[in-house]
Amino acid sequence: MIEKPAYDWNPRSDDVQKDQIAAYDDMRHRCPVAHSEYLNWSLFRHEDVVRALHAHETFSNSVSNRLVVPNGMDPPQHTLYRRIIEPYFNAQRMEAFEPVCRQIAIELVANLPRAGEVEFISAFAEDFALRVQAAFLGWPTKLHEPLRRWTRRNHEATLARDRTAMEDVAYEFDRYIRSLLMERRNAGASAPNDLTTSLMRERVGDRLINDEEIVSILRNWTVGELSTISASVGILAYYLAGRPDLQQQLREQPALLPAAIDEILRIHAPLIANRRIATAPVEFCGRTLPADARVTLMWASANRDETVFGDPDTFRLDRDPALNLLYGAGIHICPGAPLARLELRIVMEELLGQNSRIALASGQAPVKAVYPASGFSSLPLRVERPAKDDAVFSQ
């Protein structure tokens, strides 16, 4: 009879899922290098996560059976594709996209009830993430609802670890993108001059990037964008709804918003974890992880490590931004961070600027999201507009 290995914790237990952030805090104190059936080896301390992020030779990103460009690659292959991707998030592109992003935020905030309660995640956060992502990539509005359904199915399949369902979801997304690529090729010179069309002209080495690579890049951007941006917007709104003084301070001093957003999302991470594979035996906290061990880097714990941040729930605007792992670190640091920061700043400027008060709804408790999602699956809020149509602060 083969004995099952002993595990340190169960990431899928009801206790963990009831409050992921609190559970990960407990694991960081109790068992900072933990083994489980669902997540394999997990690292909870800031020091250990940073060590893994910077030791890309020892911790490979090649963790998927599918092509994942570029974050599922290691150097030198990763370097080639990273050079293609980074210019899409440069300052010039962000400046050009800002008015488009702002118009979307203005319209969605204007559609919120003038004085009443709203289920904020489905009525606002998800719509914002969908619309800005489609606009950035140049995708038609007809894809909004399919992408919304696809995001939910992807989350359900990942949570269930249903590999067949995960493959089906991936192929479904691939069909959407291949159809867009075909439309652009058929249009020839009349194809829209957008980011998706631009990707089709990129070269890796001495050849054009192929459709499989384009699909992988767009899948990677879309999975990350739709889930983390909507989670981030919900986390930010929830945090400020419970702190009217901070809410008003940010209305009066909108220049503080970038630092405030990064700090709130340090306290409550919108992205729970990321995966690696050990290429050689490696030791953490007296425990040896074997070669080929699958390792989960727990962002949601590392960014709350008391040895780095003191009381993790203390909100501070003077922290060293280099310590915040919100967008990762090392060679795989998120290339889309400038876009995410732009979108979150703009949406919070408009949400605060067009509303005089954001508060938690009475009698309805928020419902926390469960792994692999973060934030809230339901967030009833009450929003109130100013007495007149004047914005609370002008841009």
Side-chain angles (χ1 to χ4, degrees):
M1 179 179 178
I2 299 176
E3 293 186 7
K4 290 186 177 181
Y7 295 118
D8 300 308
W9 70 310
N10 178 8
R12 305 179 74 185
S13 71
D14 290 342
D15 286 344
V16 171
Q17 294 301 322
K18 182 170 59 180
D19 190 338
Q20 293 186 83
I21 303 301
Y24 303 149
D25 283 348
D26 176 64
M27 290 301 297
R28 185 175 63 253
H29 304 146
R30 181 169 59 83
C31 188
V33 180
H35 196 217
S36 67
E37 182 177 19
Y38 186 56
L39 294 181
N40 298 288
W41 290 96
S42 296
L43 304 180
F44 291 90
R45 299 192 312 173
H46 189 278
E47 174 187 355
D48 296 335
V49 170
V50 169
R51 176 183 160 195
L53 290 173
H54 287 286
H56 56 266
E57 303 92 344
T58 306
F59 294 92
S60 169
N61 265 50
S62 183
V63 298
S64 175
N65 294 325
R66 297 196 310 270
L67 177 68
V68 182
V69 181
N71 63 324
M73 296 174 166
D74 300 315
Q77 189 182 32
H78 169 266
T79 309
L80 294 174
Y81 290 93
R82 183 83 182 204
R83 287 176 186 153
I84 293 173
I85 286 169
E86 286 185 344
Y88 286 92
F89 303 98
N90 63 25
Q92 292 78 13
R93 283 186 180 268
M94 296 303 98
E95 184 179 358
F97 185 60
E98 180 164 352
V100 178
C101 182
R102 189 172 298 281
Q103 186 57 40
I104 291 170
I106 288 171
E107 291 174 6
L108 287 173
V109 173
N111 288 334
L112 290 172
R114 295 191 63 84
E117 296 184 356
V118 62
E119 202 301 284
F120 188 76
I121 301 300
S122 59
F124 186 89
E126 289 180 354
D127 281 347
F128 177 73
L130 275 167
R131 289 186 59 182
V132 293
Q133 175 69 354
F136 181 68
L137 297 176
W139 292 356
T141 56
K142 67 182 182 181
L143 274 182
H144 289 183
E145 285 310 308
L147 282 174
R148 188 197 301 273
R149 294 192 297 270
W150 176 82
T151 303
R152 289 173 178 166
R153 285 197 293 270
N154 184 58
H155 168 75
E156 291 166 0
T158 303
L159 177 62
R161 272 203 159 178
D162 185 333
R163 298 200 176 277
T164 300
M166 290 166 70
E167 288 295 324
D168 289 344
V169 168
Y171 287 133
E172 179 184 353
F173 181 86
D174 293 1
R175 288 195 298 272
Y176 294 146
I177 306 308
R178 290 181 188 276
S179 176
L180 288 177
L181 300 182
M182 185 179 298
E183 289 174 7
R184 281 158 171 71
R185 288 199 175 94
N186 290 339
S190 301
N193 186 25
D194 57 25
L195 186 149
T196 300
T197 301
S198 179
L199 269 178
M200 298 169 68
R201 304 189 191 107
E202 296 288 355
R203 303 186 73 86
V204 56
D206 60 356
R207 65 171 177 82
L208 282 171
I209 191 169
N210 63 41
D211 283 6
E212 184 181 9
E213 292 160 335
I214 296 171
V215 168
S216 178
I217 290 169
L218 293 174
R219 185 197 308 118
N220 179 37
W221 287 352
T222 305
V223 171
E225 182 80 1
L226 296 184
S227 57
T228 56
I229 291 297
S230 59
S232 295
V233 173
I235 290 166
L236 293 167
Y238 173 82
Y239 192 90
L240 293 177
R243 294 162 179 82
D245 291 344
L246 176 59
Q247 198 179 125
Q248 189 58 30
Q249 180 186 10
L250 295 176
R251 285 194 183 93
E252 296 170 357
Q253 298 176 274
L256 297 178
L257 267 170
I261 288 169
D262 279 11
E263 173 68 351
I264 293 168
L265 298 181
R266 178 200 63 77
I267 293 170
H268 187 161
L271 179 64
I272 294 295
N274 204 236
R275 299 180 298 161
R276 298 289 192 274
I277 293 180
T279 61
V282 61
E283 184 176 313
F284 289 95
C285 297
R287 303 189 77 170
T288 300
L289 282 58
D292 296 326
R294 291 186 171 265
V295 183
T296 306
L297 309 181
M298 304 299 292
W299 310 117
S301 170
N303 247 2
R304 294 174 52 81
D305 192 327
E306 294 84 353
T307 64
V308 176
F309 301 105
D311 180 354
D313 289 309
T314 297
F315 175 89
R316 285 176 46 187
L317 292 174
D318 62 346
R319 295 193 187 278
D320 180 353
L323 297 174
N324 192 332
L325 299 177
L326 176 60
Y327 296 102
I331 65 168
H332 293 285
I333 192 169
C334 177
L339 176 63
R341 285 193 164 108
L342 171 75
E343 293 171 350
L344 294 174
R345 172 179 62 80
I346 287 175
V347 75
M348 295 313 296
E349 284 175 353
E350 295 302 329
L351 191 63
L352 291 171
Q354 293 190 47
N355 294 287
S356 58
R357 180 171 176 259
I358 303 167
L360 298 176
S362 58
Q364 300 180 69
V367 178
K368 293 177 180 176
V370 298
Y371 187 90
S374 185
F376 302 90
S377 57
S378 174
L379 178 59
L381 290 182
R382 183 173 186 82
V383 293
E384 295 177 8
R385 299 282 176 84
K388 298 181 179 179
D389 287 336
D390 298 330
V392 179
F393 62 73
S394 58
Q395 299 303 317

